[in-house]
Amino acid sequence: MSTNEKVPVFVLSKTAGYRHESIPAGVEGIRQLGISFNAFEADFSEDASLVSAENLSRYAAVVFLQTSGDFLNAEQLAGLQRYVQGGGGFVGIHCAAAGMTNAPWYGELVGAVFADHPEPQDGVVAVENKDHVIVAGLPEEWNWFDEWYNFDANPRGKVDVLLSIDEKTYEGGKLGGDHPLAWCREFDGGRSFYTSLGHFDDAYADPEFMDHLLKGILWAARKV
């Protein structure tokens, strides 16, 4: 997949809570993804002061890679909100759902708030809404080893669910018969895409996961 011109993307991986060891692999994987497909050009940072409406206005999408804890102050959160309300794109990866838990708007932006997870294990991921560009071309089901997130509430009904998991294929799920894993939505003037996959380094070298991520970034940026 390529676009006529490279899409400018800002990637923030600041943590104020748990820090995933896979962040360097995620940074390099996203960098190479943009280069390999000539699709986007990313700036990477752990400086939350760059999360301002003025700075973010230079980008078609902002990616929160494994961000955690209260990693934004009130001014930075307001800057992110103005950016989204101005039509900006947001992408949250894995632990992004575990950040800013006392900020209701941020939870709505992501779509759900992380609750807990069982020990990492194999599970079977299913593609929903097979016609959506973010999951187009992915196998209908595939085996995946990850840290399966439980959320404070099921986001279905307010988001477009793209991936889900059958809780019968692993132990520790708490959402019952309907457990979304990735979704997207039009939100507050902008676009939001979130995937809960991506705990381990291996994900960021996996063609199917990275295809999912590439299309999610371009969808959030309104390029596909």
Side-chain angles (χ1 to χ4, degrees):
M1 177 181 294
S2 64
T3 58
N4 292 330
E5 59 182 50
K6 290 185 179 180
V7 177
V9 174
F10 178 71
V11 182
L12 181 75
S13 54
K14 180 181 178 181
T15 55
Y18 181 81
R19 186 170 181 85
H20 279 73
E21 295 179 357
S22 60
I23 287 176
V27 167
E28 186 58 24
I30 293 171
R31 188 192 315 277
Q32 292 302 322
L33 191 65
I35 294 171
S36 297
F37 290 90
N38 198 34
F40 61 84
E41 188 166 5
D43 291 334
F44 298 85
S45 182
E46 300 215 347
D47 182 359
S49 72
L50 297 176
V51 182
S52 67
E54 180 179 4
N55 184 57
L56 295 183
S57 67
R58 302 189 293 123
Y59 300 99
V62 56
V63 179
F64 281 6
L65 171 65
Q66 308 283 28
T67 46
S68 67
D70 293 326
F71 61 95
L72 299 178
N73 63 28
E75 181 181 1
Q76 293 156 1
L77 181 62
L80 176 64
Q81 187 169 5
R82 288 194 298 273
Y83 167 73
V84 171
Q85 290 171 341
F90 172 82
V91 173
I93 301 173
H94 194 57
C95 197
M100 307 299 296
T101 56
N102 294 318
W105 179 87
Y106 179 82
E108 287 297 313
L109 173 67
V110 174
V113 177
F114 166 80
D116 56 32
H117 61 77
E119 288 297 310
Q121 58 195 288
D122 288 305
V124 179
V125 176
V127 171
E128 299 196 25
N129 194 357
K130 301 176 182 62
D131 293 332
H132 198 289
V133 65
I134 296 177
V135 291
L138 292 179
E140 291 190 9
E141 292 187 344
W142 81 91
N143 294 320
W144 188 256
F145 184 84
D146 216 315
E147 187 179 68
W148 305 110
Y149 275 11
N150 294 309
F151 300 98
D152 64 336
N154 190 326
R156 191 185 297 273
K158 62 182 181 181
V159 303
D160 189 349
V161 176
L162 303 170
L163 300 177
S164 61
I165 188 167
D166 183 347
E167 292 189 352
K168 295 177 183 177
T169 67
Y170 73 105
E171 297 181 355
K174 296 181 179 179
L175 293 181
D178 181 18
H179 192 133
L181 294 175
W183 52 79
C184 62
R185 70 189 297 200
E186 304 279 345
F187 175 73
D188 204 14
R191 279 185 167 184
S192 173
F193 162 65
Y194 171 76
T195 181
S196 63
L197 306 182
H199 177 77
F200 294 103
D201 288 14
D202 292 352
Y204 301 97
D206 182 89
E208 289 171 349
F209 174 73
M210 295 307 286
D211 181 72
H212 168 61
L213 199 54
L214 172 64
K215 292 172 179 174
I217 292 171
L218 294 178
W219 179 86
R222 302 178 188 273
K223 298 301 180 181
V224 294

